[in-house]
């Protein structure tokens, strides 16, 4: 098998193309031939070596991917050779309460990830992906897709007629727009340009607010909700946006804390939280059951995740650089297929 | 004011057209000029005198209606003359847990209802109705509309991609189809004819099953859900359909018990309930807050309740007969407006 | 290893003592030496061959037991030799929504159960049991214990000050009394004699109603709750008691449907369900996560399940007969330990 | 009637003893003769004029009190002369979702409060208080008591065996200890001295951590929970403690944000929130229904709120000073009874 590995440390300079023998599945395991992988912001944090001491090298990066079953262990009943599946981001969280060692079961660090031609995964941590999706679209689901689903499901699900504010136009945000519309919500998105505004409206957003033109966008959100504020904020910004998100939320509203791209240490003004009885609920991905529910919703609505670029397997480092540079619209993918390695 | 009253007993023979002086609103009350009322199956039960000893005559019938504020009490802040509003079905249930004396606060029995040109209601039990709706459409919301909303909201809300089975084509069922679609669900409806099937598909149903042709429709529901069964049944049948509904539900599924038109005493086969861990959750209308949430969802999706016939105020008894006869498609309404009394 | 098996059919006449070689654990599995098993009403249904076609012979019976880890598979990290553990009733339900093939993962039918000296189980389906419990006490937890916990946890947990009505004095009922008291509830129990009344009061019940003396006990429950009715009924009776349970519940109350010992086909009077907005929520055992939560609660409160009799391994058929005969107080257990086979 | 009022501005220098005629109740209102009032930290914020522009003078301060019904409006059915009741903190939140104008319905600012011998309140905003409580004990319930209840009820209730960390020994904290114990939880409290530690243990706390001796108490909380962290933190500190609270919580745990006595602007380290999937849920008091549920729990467990000092009505300013000075143990009350005005 062919795979990329942070072999002797992190940083792109340590990301090395390797070859080796494909592992054998145990009785409850499945051998996948990966066809596509997809990058998340988290993968940049890992690449930079900033993910904490539990994530060490050597490491095959990336958590999001899709592949085909090419061998099943003796006790596997739920999957057959030829099934197209994705491994769940958390390999050990089926449903219900998250396990206490949640961090230890993540693909792409500390567990080896999917930037590989082949990989072995426990059958119980695999999920069938909708047929109508391309490999690149399907590859975005395990982390980015499930996060978008969880952000609209927890602690209570979005209802028709509610107003959902989604920050930005990253991969999670774009799928959240489609999913929130499928759930019947009114969707407001903060964007950075008129071009982005047009794109998110094409995805279904009811209103796009250019945050460069309207830096205090919470005010506009309150205005267009008759002064009430929005029911839910999908807070993908982080330190730089959290207070504005808090201001945008209605009494009893929910801020779904997903991202920290604009900084790790956020200030929160407690009296506002208290007076409005707000809930800050953090979401990082979700369980295998959430993944299954996401897929069912996608399938029924024929929703397609947005893919910006697909890099060839050999160009994997370029994919990291592209995501780091930013400015794209949609997910950055890497093909894991054999033929791309020519 | 002009109103209809079961004056000396129930039965249509005791439904009498009356005139009197319009009441004065207290400090926290509002005087409405009603424009339209709408009938529910429950109003037939009241008419037949079968609603239990708490509902007595004289009684102005009907719970569902809409009108215009023509006078406000001295302490009323939330409504102004000219506002178009509906009184909530339960006049004393704002939100949260239902009050223990839930039955005592119902319009149309034991409390006087809306088949009247004028009525006084506490301001806190009124709800603004969406502007785009006609009076007849709006009049169907307090009981039929809120019941449909509750049936898709309790004990947990419908999610995109879930399969909802709705029994029949009464007023609650028809609005439930639209609302379930707005929430992103896949909707299956049992109907009694090909004509009805075509009509519910036009409303958005994904599949209509003719229960005359497929009497054991639970089997078909299981087939089209890959053997799993549906997530939720909106059980509007009653004794004659409950077991078939139970068979149609998935493991962990929910049967929303709403109606009893086919009989009061239902048999339940407990082992099936237990093995599948089913929940039978009964819903009768809902709180004022549910009404507000319903209206917001309707407004955002521009959903229109289906109105079958509007009777003139003087023809109120004919409206009861029409509902009793059945065979219509949508809600039966009665105009309360002055000019119809000519 | 020594084990009992329904070898060529069900019925006690087919329950045969067998010997064989202990199985080897796979990489993710654990070999247990069982010390104690416990019977449930369900085991009688299995014994009588009435559990449906999915449960076939040969079969090692019983779902509830406890044992010691004597060998671990190569990939097992969470358990070590010497740990005292119980296998979860559902071997494939960790938490969250129940799997659609819920029935297929049950111990004691269709899967081989715990009436054996040795057994192999997946590590992820094992749960550590509290140290202070005897083997017999611990053996009662997987089905009876988890069912009692679920009955007080779903669909929403019991709160301090609520009134919980528990029917009868079987194994689930007795533990439910202790757990409901630990949760701060007021507990009412229906019993069949003054002796039983005294026993349940000793366990903490606030009130015991002799159902022979007070056959319409719902009335008394309403009286002692100021007319309101109880918040929750743990409905362990079945067909013969369900309507009385419905009458005992408050508006918005919950009937937890657990048992069917008094009959399978129950009649439900729908108008009462509807007027009171009741929920009938069926509970059969629960997930592995529920088992863990139960154990934590037991441990903190040092609650002890009630054990009636412990039979020697060789006397296993007598244990079935004893449970069938009834009249005991607490769980009927069977020792699986080697020395009892003299 | 006799009452205290911030007449021409805030600050204790503007708190003036007044006399006037008792108001008359409207048809849905009740006239109370207040017997006792109780202070909260919030009342100090109001006194200092720091509560925002919606709270203006003249204002009768204090939200928490208890009194006796001495006159009922013509439409009042639920209360009679002689009933001992408390007005709910939010006069317009019965249950369910909080109203969007939540702030406008608070007693003690912007609405006139209970530091008065007489007051008129809507009947629907009154709650009967448990008989066994003294007036001073009962007076602490509307804000401090309901807050403690909400902190253990939202977003999901505390369960038996869970670990609850409660910060400090203020009025809310002390009642939360008793209520968490009644719910079956294990309770850890941070205190400031050995004397306080002894006192909270007497109230039932399982462990008291002296935060002067153990400033990084999150570490100790994790140790005594086997490394897992606590299920819930009742965060009564504010800016100075929030990060330590976050560190003390388990994966999937909840921080109930109640207080801000140590500062308004808190820093939150987002990666920790995200990795542990934490929820920060803010609680300010609760609905009338929460108050009723609290009273039922208190009554069943005969829990007594802790009262530190009762000041005479004429000494009201001293009560403010005492609370400001701190160092007490339990709630500071003021008698509203006539005879104390000598």
């Amino acid at each position: 098998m062919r795979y990329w590995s942070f072999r002797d440390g992190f940083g792109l300079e340590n990301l090395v193309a390797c070859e080796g023998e494909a592992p054998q599945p145990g009785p409850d395991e499945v051998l996948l031939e990966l066809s596509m992988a997809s990058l998340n912001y988290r993968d940049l944090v890992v690449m930079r070596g900033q993910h904490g001491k539990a994530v060490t090298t050597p490491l095959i990066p990336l958590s999001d991917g899709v592949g085909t079953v090419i061998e099943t262990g003796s006790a596997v009943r739920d999957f057959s050779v030829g099934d197209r599946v994705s491994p769940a981001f958390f390999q050990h969280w089926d449903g219900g309460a998250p396990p206490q060692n949640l961090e230890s079961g993540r693909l792409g660090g500390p567990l080896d990830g999917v930037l590989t031609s082949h990989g072995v995964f426990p059958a119980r941590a695999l999920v069938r992906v909708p047929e109508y999706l391309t490999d690149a679209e399907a590859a975005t689901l395990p982390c980015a897709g499930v996060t978008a689903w969880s952000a609209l499901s927890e602690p209570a699900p979005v209802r028709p007629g509610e107003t959902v504010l989604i920050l930005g136009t990253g991969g999670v945000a774009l799928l959240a727009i489609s999913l929130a519309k499928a759930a019947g919500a009114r969707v407001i998105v903060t964007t950075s340009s008129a071009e982005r505004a047009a794109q998110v409206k094409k995805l279904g957003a009811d209103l796009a607010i250019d945050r460069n033109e309207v830096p205090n966008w919470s005010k506009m959100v309150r205005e267009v909700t008759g002064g009430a504020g929005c029911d839910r904020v999908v807070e993908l910004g982080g330190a730089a946006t959290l207070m504005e998100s808090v201001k945008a939320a209605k009494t009893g509203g929910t801020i779904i804390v997903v991202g920290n791209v604009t900084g790790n240490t956020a200030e929160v003004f407690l009296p506002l939280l208290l007076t409005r009885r707000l809930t800050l609920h953090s979401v990082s991905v979700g369980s295998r059951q959430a993944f299954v529910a996401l897929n069912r919703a996608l399938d029924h609505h024929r929703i397609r995740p947005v893919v910006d670029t697909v890099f060839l397997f050999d160009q994997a480092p370029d994919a990291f650089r592209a995501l780091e540079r930013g400015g794209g619209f949609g997910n950055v993918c890497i093909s894991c297929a054999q033929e791309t390695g020519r």
Side-chain angles (χ1 to χ4, degrees), chain A:
Chain A
M1 74 176 192
R2 306 173 65 251
Y3 60 98
W4 286 92
S5 175
F6 290 111
R7 203 156 49 181
D8 304 311
F10 289 107
L12 277 188
E13 65 281 12
N14 288 305
L15 186 60
V16 183
C18 309
E19 295 203 23
E21 212 156 315
Q24 289 300 306
D28 293 309
E29 294 178 329
V30 161
L31 174 63
L32 292 192
E33 182 172 352
L34 278 303
S35 51
M36 190 70 70
S38 174
L39 278 81
N40 292 289
Y41 175 74
R42 174 179 178 263
D43 299 311
L44 294 184
V45 179
V46 170
M47 182 267 280
R48 292 168 190 152
Q50 298 169 345
H51 210 294
K53 56 189 172 184
V55 177
T56 56
T57 57
L59 176 74
I60 301 179
L62 305 195
S63 60
D64 283 12
V66 68
T68 304
V69 174
I70 58 172
E71 194 181 334
T72 60
S74 56
V76 172
R77 297 282 167 274
D78 293 341
F79 296 98
S80 308
V81 169
D83 288 352
R84 191 170 69 146
V85 299
S86 281
F89 179 82
F90 295 115
Q91 291 277 294
H92 62 342
W93 184 18
D94 194 73
Q100 288 309 302
N101 60 347
L102 186 59
E103 305 173 46
S104 71
R106 291 176 300 194
L107 291 183
L111 302 181
D112 273 334
V114 297
L115 192 51
T116 175
S117 65
H118 296 79
V120 156
F121 304 90
R124 67 173 180 281
L126 293 177
V127 170
R128 271 187 191 74
V129 291
E131 283 187 30
Y132 73 96
L133 294 176
T134 66
D135 280 346
E137 290 164 347
T140 68
L141 299 179
C143 173
V146 175
T147 299
W149 177 258
S150 296
L152 301 169
S153 308
E154 301 177 18
V158 167
R159 302 301 318 280
E162 288 186 4
T163 300
V164 177
L165 171 66
I166 297 172
L167 301 196
T169 54
V172 174
L174 295 181
L175 194 63
I177 295 172
S178 299
L179 288 170
K181 290 303 293 181
R186 178 187 184 191
V187 175
I188 305 175
V189 185
T190 62
T191 65
S192 55
S193 71
E195 188 199 353
R196 285 283 175 271
Q199 286 168 311
V200 300
K201 280 190 173 172
K202 220 171 146 188
L203 284 174
D206 295 279
L207 175 67
I209 305 178
D210 190 324
R211 61 178 179 265
N212 295 320
E213 289 184 14
V214 189
N216 56 345
W217 33 265
S218 69
K219 216 171 155 185
M220 185 178 282
V221 172
R222 298 195 82 81
E223 278 167 20
V224 300
T225 51
C230 60
D231 296 85
R232 180 181 300 245
V233 185
V234 181
E235 183 18 284
L236 291 148
T241 54
L242 185 58
M243 263 316 293
E244 199 68 13
S245 293
V246 164
K247 286 182 197 163
K250 72 164 189 181
T251 296
T254 305
I255 319 283
I256 302 295
V257 180
V258 187
N260 52 332
V261 293
T262 66
N264 283 335
T265 304
E267 288 199 340
V268 179
F269 187 63
L270 295 175
L272 200 51
L273 238 66
L274 291 166
T275 310
R276 295 222 185 115
R277 289 184 71 92
L278 298 183
T279 298
L280 270 64
H281 179 79
S282 76
V283 152
S284 63
V285 201
S287 69
R288 188 199 61 87
Q289 291 178 16
F291 196 174
V292 172
L294 162 70
N295 286 348
R296 191 165 65 151
L298 293 175
D299 201 21
H300 182 64
H301 292 275
R302 289 291 190 264
I303 293 169
R304 293 185 174 279
V306 180
V307 174
D308 185 82
T309 324
V310 177
F311 287 84
L312 296 182
F313 191 76
D314 288 355
Q315 303 167 336
D318 293 336
F320 280 85
R321 284 182 204 107
L323 180 63
E324 204 161 25
R325 204 163 47 234
F329 186 74
N331 295 277
V332 174
C333 295
I334 302 172
S335 171
C336 302
Q338 301 285 18
E339 66 267 34
T340 67
R342 275 161 298 182

